[in-house]
Amino acid sequence: YSLHQRRVMYLKKLKQQQRTQQVTSAVKHISVNPEIGTIAVCLDLTDSQQDQVVSRQNVFIVWPTGQLQEEEPLKLSMEVDPMTHDSQLPACAMLSRVEGPRMLLLGRLVDGNVFCWHLNQARSQLESESKITSVGGLCALSDNGSWIAVVTYEQDLGMVPHLTIFSYAYDSVDARRTKPEAVARIPKNPQAMAIQQTPDGSCYLALAEAPLLDGSAFPIEVSSISMDGTCRNLYHLRGPSPCYSLSFCHQTAAHLLSSQADGLVVVYDLPNGTTSMCHDNVGRAFRSICTDRSLIVSAEDSFFRIFKVPQPDQSV
């Protein structure tokens, strides 16, 4: 959709070749690199016979420059356990969001396996694959692909959920590992989180835990994590209702977008202690903010809404 022309520019119906009428597919997640236009889509494919799922795949489709109708996409098909229960988190795909020679694609399968794939400069082939965990839940990826946060359920921790922070960074901003390494483990199980690298090479981690039984909300916590795993609490952001979605604005750890269950949408300016607030429909719509932080898009059901970010106030 072109906001300038106010019309749909590309329309692509995703359709896999089906052997039988029992094969179904559903789009579970979409990710975009705003600097070069790369689009990644995650599909969940199931093949059923006599009302029983006999095979299941998560398929990741990548259009290198976002030309949905004009270029051949890269496709990754991953077999998953057909008995995986649908109550688990859906599969997802996350792209790094800056221009660079090696784009990162983070993929979580519906069975909890989490992979990192590095793409070549043309984003047409895989260069490397790393498996992070086989017991992963909620995931977050920094814009430059150097930091990854995953809720894991490790047996050596009694299957109690912990938030594990992985890093490709080494001992400087420019040096990178070939595989992500776990640098910190935090006893948290957030329902929303975001991660972003800071100019000094460390990262900011924002998380929101599930509300209490009476519905009262925990504050959003923002912490700093260094490459040696040192964690330091920086901000506690209180809101009137539980937060279900967090994302840092493009290429900055200073601005944070929060979506609340009651429809409140907040953009936090962390260093200046100000907020920009507006209201959307009640519910868990998907919301994203543009690179210059002037517009927000909200998508739900069969429509989307675009609105301006209000001027900040002093209500943090």
Side-chain angles (χ1 to χ4, degrees), residues 129 136 168 302:
E129 175 183 287
Y168 274 101
S302 59

Side-chain angles (χ1 to χ4, degrees), residues 77-95:
S77 296
M78 308 290 290
E79 296 284 344
V80 297
D81 184 353
M83 302 307 294
T84 301
H85 201 275
D86 285 337
S87 63
Q88 293 184 232
L89 287 175
C92 72
M94 299 179 184
L95 286 171

Side-chain angles (χ1 to χ4, degrees), residues 184-197:
R185 185 174 280 124
I186 305 169
K188 295 279 189 179
N189 184 23
Q191 71 172 7
M193 66 179 177
I195 195 166
Q196 188 73 290
Q197 181 162 307

Side-chain angles (χ1 to χ4, degrees), residues 145-184:
S146 290
W147 294 88
I148 301 166
V150 183
V151 175
T152 56
Y153 301 80
E154 304 289 350
Q155 286 189 349
D156 60 348
L157 296 174
M159 301 300 288
V160 176
H162 279 67
L163 179 54
T164 305
I165 310 301
F166 299 87
S167 177
Y168 274 101
Y170 197 29
D171 52 4
S172 71
V173 176
D174 297 325
R176 290 174 64 87
R177 300 182 175 99
T178 57
K179 294 183 178 181
E181 180 176 313
V183 297

Side-chain angles (χ1 to χ4, degrees), residues 1 3 32 97 244-245 247 257-259 265 267 278 280 284-291 293-300 303-309:
Y1 181 83
L3 187 61
V32 177
R97 291 166 44 84
Y244 71 84
S245 176
S247 60
L257 174 67
S258 168
S259 298
V265 183
V267 180
C278 52
D280 197 8
R284 292 176 172 257
F286 176 82
R287 299 183 180 101
S288 182
I289 191 168
C290 69
T291 55
R293 303 188 295 277
S294 63
L295 298 172
I296 292 174
V297 61
S298 170
E300 58 180 305
F303 68 92
F304 62 89
R305 181 186 297 111
I306 299 172
F307 48 93
K308 293 182 179 180
V309 177

